[in-house]
Structure formats: C-alpha cells, structure tokens
Amino acid sequence: MNTAVEQLKKNRAFLCLECGKCTAVCPISKVNNAYSPRRLLAQGLFYGAEDIASDHLLWSCLTCLLCSQRCPVDVKYSDYMRDVRAVAHNMGHEGNASHGGALHYIMEMAASPKLKQNRTEWVTKDLKVKQKGDTLYFAGCLPYYEELFAKDFSFSPVSIAVDTVKILNHIGIEPVVLDNERCCGHDLYWLGRLGQFDELAKLNLKDFEQAGVKKVITSCPECAVALRQLYPERVGTGGPKVQHIAEVLAENKARLKLGEVTREVAFQDPCRLGRFMGVYDPPREVLSMIPGVTVSEMAHNRKGAICCGTTNWMNCDSCSKQIQKSRFDEARAAGAGTLVTACPKCQIHFRCAQCGEPEEKNGLELADFVNIVASALKS
Amino acid sequence: MAVRTQQAKKKTKKEFIPNIVVFACNWCSYAGADNAGTNRMQHSPHFRVIRTMCSGRVTPGFVLKAFKLGADGVLVSGCHFGDCHYIFGNYKAVEQFEKTKGLVKTLGLDLKRVRLEWVSAAEGVRWANLIDEFVGQIAELGPSPLNHKPKYG
Ligand code: SF4
Ligand code: SF4
Ligand code: FES
C-alpha cells in the first residue's frame, strides 16, 4: 500500500483534475475511442491499479509523453502507466505482444549470465572498430531486427549500424563495438518489468566499465534514453555520457564532408529523441547541411509530433496502422518524397504499414537519418 | 528397437536429461506420435509435445519462449509438403523457421538445437527414430546456456 502511495506521489497521478486534455491529444484515443487516459487514471485511482490490470487497453499507451505536455498539473501519465503495468505484470497479465512476443523473449534472455551472442556479423572489414576504448557504439537490437524483418520489409536494419560506424569513422572516431552487447532494457522498463530492467542495466554498466568506456553513442533513441535517463534513475549515476548519433554529428559539423543528394525529406521526431531528450534541432541541422536536401515540416512536428503508432512491441492493431497512415499523409502534404526517422523501430513500423499498399498510393520512401547522411559522405 | 532404446538410455543417463519441446501439428505429426504410442514403439521419453493446429502457426516467438523457459532443444514438426491440412501451412512454417534460425543463431545458440521435420500420421517409426536421434543430439550438446531462471518475474 505504502509503495503505491509513494508511486502516486512520484507520478503525480493523484493530482489529476479530470480535465480530459490528455484524452483530447492522445493519438490512440483519436483512432480508438475505447481508450482514454483520463478514464484509466480515474478508474485506477478510484478502485486501485488492480482494477485496471486486466484491461488490455493498458498496453496500448505509447508512453509518448504527448499528454503529459498538455497536462495542467503535470501528471506523469507515462510513469503512471509503467507503475500500473508493473502491478498488472505481477498479477500475470501480459497484454498482446506483437510478433508472438519474440522480441520480449530476446530481451529477457539477454540477462542470462552465460549468454554469448553472435551479433557482430555486420562489422565488415572496411569499418574501423575496436575492442577497448573510450567511445562505444551501442548497436542495440539491430542484428535481431535484421533476422526478423529484413526479408518481409525489404530493408536492412543493420545498414543503420554499418552507416553509423561509417559516419563515425568519417569524423575520426573509431568506436568500440562489444561482441556480446546486451539489450538496453528500454521496453522492459515501460512494460513495468523493472526487476529485469535493473538486472540488464547493471550488466551493461559493468560491460561498459570493463571496456573502459566513457561515452556511448547510439543510433536508436530508445537505447539513448534508457542509458542516459533510465539507468541513472534506477541503478545510480556515474555511468558513461550518452548521445544519439544526431547530437554527435551536430557537434561535429565541421568534420562532415558532404556531397550532393537530391531529396525532399520530412523528419519524423521519434518520441524518445524529441519529447524525452529534447533533441529537435540536431537531426534537422545535419540534414539541411547536405546539399540538395530540403527539410520540410509535417503538420505535427517537434514537441507536437505524433508517434509512429506502436511502442514496446505491444498492442499493434488497426489503430496503429491508422496513425501510421496519417503520418504518411502529413509527410506527403508537406511535399516530402522521403520520410526520415532517427529510430529503427519507427522505420520498421512504417514499413509494415506500407506493406500491401499499392506503390502509387504510398509514394513515400522511408529512410533512417544515418542512411541519408552516409549516402552523402564524400570519401 | 531394443538396441535403439538402450542407446537412448545410455546417452541420456551418462550426460544429463535434456528438456526438449516439440511442436507437432494436429493433422499429421501429432497423429504420427500417437501412432508410435499405440504401436508401442519404445523411444526416449525426454520430450514434451505441444499440439498446434498447423506447423505454420509456430512463429519464432514460440521457439524463443521455449528456450526462455529452459528448453535445451526445440523440434517443430508438420505434415509433408502437399499434405498440410491448410494446404500451404508448412510452406509458411519454413518461412517462419528461417527467421527462428536467424534469431537463435544471433542469440549464440547452436543451430543444432532447433529442427524442422515432417512426419506423417502413418510414420510412427520415423517419429520414434527422430525423437531418439534429436534427444541424443541435444544430450551431446549439453544444457542450453540460456537455461537461466531470471530472478524477477
Ligand atoms: S490532462 Fe492531466 S489533469 Fe487533465 S485529465 Fe489528463 S492527467 Fe488529468
Ligand atoms: S503517453 Fe501518448 S499514447 Fe499514452 S496516453 Fe499519453 S498521449 Fe496517449
Ligand atoms: S496441418 Fe500439418 S503442417 Fe499444416
């Protein structure tokens, strides 16, 4: 009971005025009128978290922070979701995992002490990486995505890792790449499996220390937010400095030698990069440095950007698809031919939404931020 | 047959008793296993069968969950090509299994720990042989490195 009260103090849920602003802005509520953050909050507060634990809509929240931005009393709704999910998880409720839960099982197994992965096949001879040093490139789940999605969505997730290392080499950084890098645990955290998250966080920090790492660069905003904000919150400060590749490049603009690439792009702000870490300008600055690239803005952008439709590999449904398609419409309306994201997961979700759609209706190319930058590099 | 049983016993006794999960489709492989049973064919008991309606239902998630819960090996079994009750389900199983293998390999597990086989309802002998062989193979490989119970739920 006391811990529940403590949690409510932290996530400020008990301050809710029931004004309904959250439901008004929530992208899920817009397409699924059964889902209402205000209702989940009011019901959870009134009857206790146990009462909403079996509600499958509990897992629909994207923890995207859009509602918290509008909330007049600063209720941390995403944190509230995490706490309720922790209760639900302990009661044995799991929600509907996408992809048969394959990715969640991988995350859980990532904490095995005897784990010895085979994950660095993407490191080709032309890439300069090392085993020990102060700057680490954290590739995240990309090698797993490659196996699971490359064929269906005809794109290569590990190309993001390859291009990131290429760009880092270009600006004179030879990053460490760990052979047995473990999952960052981001999704487990938001699913309320905090014990598992802590276990992974400790293992990762130990690995970083062993490799002598002072700074971590990621190409995935979720890894970045986990390492930068969630690790200090859960297992203590003192870890390495963490940056997303877009921030690194914005700081090293002078060292980037870029050739011409003709593209009209729109930038999809990933929620973790934007609203969580406040990184809005760096990717836009770097993209508009490339000669021939024009960056246009979608109707919902920056702080008001709408998520790609699913997070944590949960509850992917027709609502997610509707959100994804509305993003395509916005990008097309902005005159963009390429929708650029800085998060591998956004791209996977968008690619999935494009599947089965006639080509001319799509008319939008998808690319990761690093792919575009790497294609412009002058050797 | 007696020789085979002894071999299976010897192998499993010497090493450890493997945990093996078998996904068998309802229309052929499960009936094949039944056939082996009703004909009283001796074979290794160290496997647990989970019946699915079709092998095409077995996505990577199924196999990974088995490993997460402590399996040392996973066998997926369906009807021969052309025999699937849902016509193309086993072709889908092949597609899914390719992904499964990719993930299993990336996780650092030996690819010998997973297997896709076709057993028809009439092939009780083949079932018994297959199980003995697979159990022997996993016994040789030893316990799965991921056979780890997380401290937290
Ligand atoms: S916006 Fe804030 S105060 Fe208003 S209903 Fe939502 S959580 Fe409550
Ligand atoms: S965090 Fe995002 S998805 Fe969840 S309730 Fe708020 S606006 Fe909706
Ligand atoms: S029913 Fe046996 S494989 Fe489809």
Side-chain angles (χ1 to χ4, degrees):
Chain A
M1 187 61 210
N2 264 334
T3 53
V5 172
E6 284 301 306
Q7 276 173 355
L8 287 179
K9 274 189 189 155
K10 267 198 193 147
N11 58 36
R12 300 172 63 86
F14 70 108
L15 288 174
C16 174
L17 309 165
E18 297 194 27
C19 69
K21 284 190 177 172
C22 46
T23 307
V25 292
C26 173
I28 300 277
S29 301
K30 203 168 279 168
V31 288
N32 178 0
N33 51 22
Y35 177 77
S36 154
R38 179 178 61 168
R39 176 183 66 80
L40 283 175
L41 231 166
Q43 199 180 335
L45 282 178
F46 203 76
Y47 298 106
E50 290 78 7
D51 195 64
I52 47 172
S54 61
D55 190 340
H56 74 278
L57 289 170
L58 186 60
W59 310 92
S60 285
C61 172
L62 306 162
T63 59
C64 71
L65 290 196
L66 197 57
C67 55
S68 315
Q69 261 182 358
R70 301 294 158 90
C71 178
V73 286
D74 196 21
V75 170
K76 309 230 178 309
Y77 187 78
S78 310
D79 291 358
Y80 168 74
M81 273 292 107
R82 174 203 63 209
D83 296 337
V84 177
R85 285 171 181 181
V87 174
H89 178 69
N90 288 339
M91 289 169 71
H93 299 292
E94 296 291 354
N96 301 324
S98 328
H99 309 288
L103 293 145
H104 300 115
Y105 300 129
I106 292 172
M107 295 170 207
E108 288 174 27
M109 285 190 276
S112 304
K114 281 196 222 143
L115 179 80
K116 223 177 162 310
Q117 298 166 89
N118 211 334
R119 49 170 296 140
T120 40
E121 256 171 39
W122 58 271
V123 185
T124 43
K125 290 245 161 55
D126 53 324
L127 301 175
K128 279 182 269 166
V129 300
K130 44 187 185 181
Q131 294 295 318
K132 269 186 194 297
D134 34 317
T135 309
L136 174 114
Y137 168 52
F138 194 87
C141 312
L142 291 170
Y144 292 101
Y145 297 165
E146 180 77 15
E147 301 298 340
L148 207 49
F149 302 119
K151 217 167 141 207
D152 291 353
F153 300 155
S154 48
F155 93 111
S156 165
V158 290
S159 74
I160 297 174
V162 172
D163 284 350
T164 307
V165 174
K166 251 186 218 157
I167 300 170
L168 288 176
N169 288 168
H170 178 91
I171 60 170
I173 298 175
E174 193 178 320
V176 178
V177 170
L178 294 177
D179 287 334
N180 197 24
E181 176 194 302
R182 293 169 200 263
C183 168
C184 66
H186 172 274
D187 291 358
L188 295 172
Y189 176 91
W190 290 109
L191 292 174
R193 307 188 195 173
L194 295 172
Q196 291 170 346
F197 174 81
D198 292 354
E199 210 177 347
L200 275 173
K202 282 179 203 146
L203 287 167
N204 271 324
L205 289 177
K206 210 168 92 195
D207 287 348
F208 295 162
E209 207 182 300
Q210 265 169 10
V213 172
K214 306 241 159 39
K215 180 175 170 185
V216 178
I217 298 172
T218 81
S219 52
C220 172
E222 299 199 341
C223 299
V225 88
L227 301 175
R228 177 145 128 192
Q229 296 179 354
L230 307 182
Y231 282 18
E233 176 199 315
R234 295 287 310 175
V235 294
T237 43
K241 181 177 176 214
V242 184
Q243 275 190 319
H244 184 267
I245 178 80
E247 297 171 271
V248 178
L249 295 186
E251 279 174 15
N252 288 286
K253 275 189 217 137
R255 288 201 243 169
L256 275 174
K257 299 200 176 32
L258 301 168
E260 177 129 355
V261 175
T262 326
R263 275 220 170 95
E264 298 267 332
V265 308
F267 185 70
Q268 156 79 11
D269 289 277
C271 359
R272 317 285 142 167
L273 193 64
R275 280 186 291 272
F276 276 75
M277 299 197 291
V279 179
Y280 298 108
D281 291 324
R284 289 180 169 82
E285 281 169 17
V286 175
L287 283 173
S288 35
M289 267 173 63
I290 305 174
V293 169
T294 44
V295 186
S296 42
E297 293 294 348
M298 294 190 265
H300 293 89
N301 59 53
R302 293 175 183 255
K303 277 187 169 175
I306 291 182
C307 165
C308 63
T310 20
T311 25
N312 305 323
W313 306 110
M314 290 303 276
N315 272 23
C316 174
D317 53 13
S318 59
C319 301
S320 320
K321 196 147 180 168
Q322 256 172 286
I323 297 176
Q324 284 145 3
K325 288 200 174 147
S326 73
R327 286 312 262 168
F328 294 159
D329 290 340
E330 284 187 13
R332 274 189 293 253
T338 311
L339 182 55
V340 177
T341 96
C343 173
K345 275 189 183 175
C346 288
Q347 196 184 157
I348 290 168
H349 298 147
F350 282 144
R351 293 227 172 224
C352 176
Q354 280 190 340
C355 275
E357 291 285 313
E359 195 66 31
E360 67 278 10
K361 222 180 135 202
N362 275 323
L364 253 192
E365 198 195 348
L366 292 166
D368 196 274
F369 165 76
V370 291
N371 294 145
I372 301 275
V373 177
S375 69
L377 288 184
K378 269 201 269 189
S379 46
Chain B
M1 204 178 299
V3 178
R4 194 184 53 224
T5 321
Q6 266 170 13
Q7 269 177 355
K9 257 193 200 149
K10 222 170 75 197
K11 265 186 191 156
T12 47
K13 225 181 207 162
K14 193 172 72 196
E15 303 265 293
F16 79 116
I17 296 179
N19 273 322
I20 289 174
V21 176
V22 181
F23 293 101
C25 86
N26 180 52
W27 303 101
C28 289
S29 297
Y30 197 79
D34 217 18
N35 183 311
T38 43
N39 285 319
R40 300 182 170 229
M41 280 171 216
Q42 292 274 346
H43 57 294
S44 165
H46 304 309
F47 65 103
R48 292 149 174 82
V49 184
I50 296 174
R51 175 162 59 165
T52 57
M53 285 314 283
C54 177
S55 62
R57 179 67 184 91
V58 185
T59 57
F62 284 48
V63 178
L64 294 180
K65 182 169 188 180
F67 280 117
K68 188 207 110 181
L69 294 176
D72 300 307
V74 180
L75 172 69
V76 182
S77 182
C79 316
H80 289 278
F81 288 127
D83 282 358
C84 172
H85 194 74
Y86 308 97
I87 305 168
F88 54 80
N90 40 11
Y91 290 95
K92 214 176 155 218
V94 175
E95 265 173 40
Q96 296 296 327
F97 197 70
E98 281 306 310
K99 289 187 196 170
T100 307
K101 276 204 306 207
L103 294 173
V104 164
K105 199 177 108 214
T106 315
L107 270 170
L109 289 175
D110 197 318
L111 273 181
K112 285 195 205 127
R113 291 190 187 274
V114 289
R115 196 141 148 189
L116 177 65
E117 286 286 349
W118 316 122
V119 176
S120 88
E123 293 175 325
V125 183
R126 190 172 134 68
W127 175 269
N129 284 331
L130 175 65
I131 293 292
D132 278 350
E133 195 197 319
F134 192 57
V135 171
Q137 184 177 323
I138 302 298
E140 254 164 51
L141 286 172
S144 155
L146 300 182
N147 191 338
H148 145 77
K149 294 268 168 315
K151 275 184 239 121
Y152 308 93

